[in-house]
Amino acid sequence: MPSVITEIPLEPVLEIFGVFVGAMAGALAGVRKQLDAFGILVLGWAAGLGGGMLRDVLIGAVPPVGISDWRFIVTAVLGGAVMYFFHPRLERARRFIVVLDAGALALFTVVGTLKGLEYGATPVAAVLVGVMTGVGGGVLRDLLTAEVPVVLQDRQLYATPALLGASVTVVLSELGVLGLSASVGIVLVIFVLRVAALRLRLSVPGPWRGKAGL
């Protein structure tokens, strides 16, 4: 049976960080769109907790933590408030959103995979739940701000690092060697891959056009 070897409650700790970072990314997107204070906080809540709520519904962990656990709700609001008061200059906002989003993607992917395993999901299901947790908040944020979701635009390497990280998480868990250091390492690998893909303009292939002349 898969196991997570750790002396501290790993999943809640990572998720708290993920919610805070995701909420900051969502709130900063709201600042860029010139939303009012309420809109910015709502966007922070949606980005910070959207992926987790999708995950909980999929694995049957209801009611979802995004509406039932005050710790996560307060964390999301705090993340949004911090960005509301301390956001950088707007001309730099887009780049900062992307960096924050990469951090949220990495954290939520590992958290979602761990929780899927905790609730008895099969390895394949746990990987899919992890990926959807990772990208869910960003997708909801983009939809609410009338943007094409990052996971769908410009063939960016967005879901691919999440898929790789979730797969490694499941494999290490199945082997019984997934501890705190390994989990943090996976988070860092997902983050680095996402940022490197952006800096190096790496992308997945577009539609296959077939052979010339056919």
Side-chain angles (χ1 to χ4, degrees):
M1 178 177 294
S3 61
V4 179
I5 306 172
T6 178
E7 297 180 354
I8 64 174
L10 177 61
E11 178 200 315
V13 171
L14 289 178
E15 187 157 17
I16 286 289
F17 277 110
V19 169
F20 189 78
V21 173
M24 287 198 296
L28 189 53
V31 170
R32 185 169 176 265
K33 288 289 186 177
Q34 294 292 302
L35 301 184
D36 60 21
F38 179 75
I40 290 171
L41 293 179
V42 168
L43 204 57
W45 174 84
L49 295 169
M53 289 193 291
L54 174 62
R55 171 205 65 210
D56 289 349
V57 170
L58 288 173
I59 64 177
V62 291
V65 294
I67 59 175
S68 64
D69 192 323
W70 67 269
R71 297 173 302 171
F72 294 107
I73 297 172
V74 169
T75 299
V77 172
L78 285 176
V82 166
M83 194 50 62
Y84 173 76
F85 287 109
F86 301 106
H87 65 83
R89 295 178 181 178
L90 290 181
E91 60 266 23
R92 299 174 56 192
R94 184 66 181 178
R95 179 179 299 179
F96 197 35
I97 290 173
V98 170
V99 173
L100 287 175
D101 189 56
L105 172 71
L107 288 162
F108 281 135
T109 297
V110 174
V111 168
T113 307
L114 290 175
K115 192 161 185 179
L117 291 171
E118 177 188 335
Y119 273 74
T122 64
V124 172
V127 169
L128 294 177
V129 167
V131 172
M132 285 186 282
T133 306
V135 305
V139 169
L140 184 56
R141 176 202 65 218
D142 292 340
L143 291 176
L144 290 175
T145 54
E147 298 278 354
V148 177
V150 173
V151 71
L152 299 178
Q153 66 173 312
D154 300 328
R155 304 198 303 272
Q156 294 185 18
L157 288 181
Y158 189 71
T160 304
L163 180 61
L164 176 61
S167 300
V168 173
T169 301
V170 168
V171 170
L172 295 183
S173 179
E174 290 287 332
L175 294 174
V177 295
L178 183 63
L180 175 60
S181 58
S183 298
V184 172
I186 295 170
V187 169
L188 292 176
V189 168
I190 297 171
F191 177 78
V192 170
L193 286 176
R194 171 62 179 151
V195 173
L198 289 167
R199 291 185 63 86
L200 300 176
R201 299 183 182 279
L202 302 177
S203 62
V204 296
W208 183 62
R209 299 184 183 279
K211 296 181 180 179
L214 295 183

